[in-house]
Amino acid sequence: MTDQTVQHPLIQLQHLSLRVPAEWERLDVTGTEMVIAGPEAAADPQQFRPNLVVLSEPSGASIQQLSTRAMASAMGDATSTYMVSCDLWTGDFPARRLEFTHRVDSLLVDVIKHIFLVSGRAVELTFSCLVGQRSAYAQLADYIASSVEFTEEGR
């Protein structure tokens, strides 16, 4: 959940910056630019935490190729994947927004993935939460994606 009138803290990465809620925890995960996770539920610290994973790599692919690859990966890698949509994302650069649901053990996980292509660099923001949490977090996923600004190095 987010109140879009609130200015969330800015996180600066190598190629981009974005805004995330202050109470979200940054985790150190090798092979990613960043992983942040929502607060743990006090009643059940083992519960799935909503999270955002940021990946970035040089790419000569088109945005169409990147979104097709992301859809194929979602369908091939995850168990019981249900593709919901792949839409254009409006902005100053080519982008797509994918939604799908898949099973992780006994949990149904909803994923909202934003894919950007800027100056030969593919950037993925993958937001995951439980299906039951979707109504509380889908707006936050889009808010974070709309806050992305690319640095001069990333353009």
Side-chain angles (χ1 to χ4, degrees):
M1 269 182 289
T2 188
D3 175 356
Q4 293 194 24
T5 62
V6 173
Q7 192 75 359
H8 294 286
L10 182 71
I11 294 180
Q12 184 69 50
L13 302 174
Q14 183 176 358
H15 303 286
L16 63 109
S17 64
L18 49 83
R19 295 193 178 278
V20 298
E23 66 274 11
W24 282 52
E25 177 185 3
R26 190 164 178 177
L27 306 174
D28 184 27
V29 178
T30 304
T32 67
E33 293 227 9
M34 180 181 73
V35 175
I36 58 168
E40 289 183 354
D44 185 5
Q46 299 302 316
Q47 183 181 5
F48 185 91
R49 292 171 72 183
N51 62 81
L52 174 75
V53 177
V54 179
L55 300 173
S56 173
E57 65 181 3
S59 177
S62 68
I63 192 66
Q64 294 85 355
Q65 291 168 322
L66 293 171
S67 62
T68 299
R69 182 174 69 188
M71 286 187 293
S73 177
M75 298 299 286
D77 292 345
T79 304
S80 302
T81 300
Y82 306 97
M83 185 63 66
V84 177
S85 67
C86 179
D87 301 310
L88 295 174
W89 179 256
T90 306
D92 297 334
F93 30 79
R96 295 290 186 273
R97 181 183 186 277
L98 284 72
E99 284 190 63
F100 60 92
T101 300
H102 66 100
R103 188 170 297 282
V104 176
D105 299 323
S106 63
L107 304 174
L108 280 176
V109 177
D110 194 57
V111 176
I112 300 171
K113 182 182 294 258
H114 293 86
I115 303 169
F116 305 99
L117 181 61
V118 177
S119 299
R121 183 157 215 84
V123 177
E124 288 188 3
L125 275 64
T126 305
F127 190 94
S128 302
C129 65
L130 294 177
V131 168
Q133 298 170 319
R134 187 186 191 293
S135 62
Y137 289 108
Q139 186 178 4
L140 176 61
D142 288 341
Y143 165 80
I144 293 171
S146 67
S147 77
V148 169
E149 292 186 14
F150 290 92
T151 61
E152 288 303 315
E153 180 179 324
R155 282 190 182 240

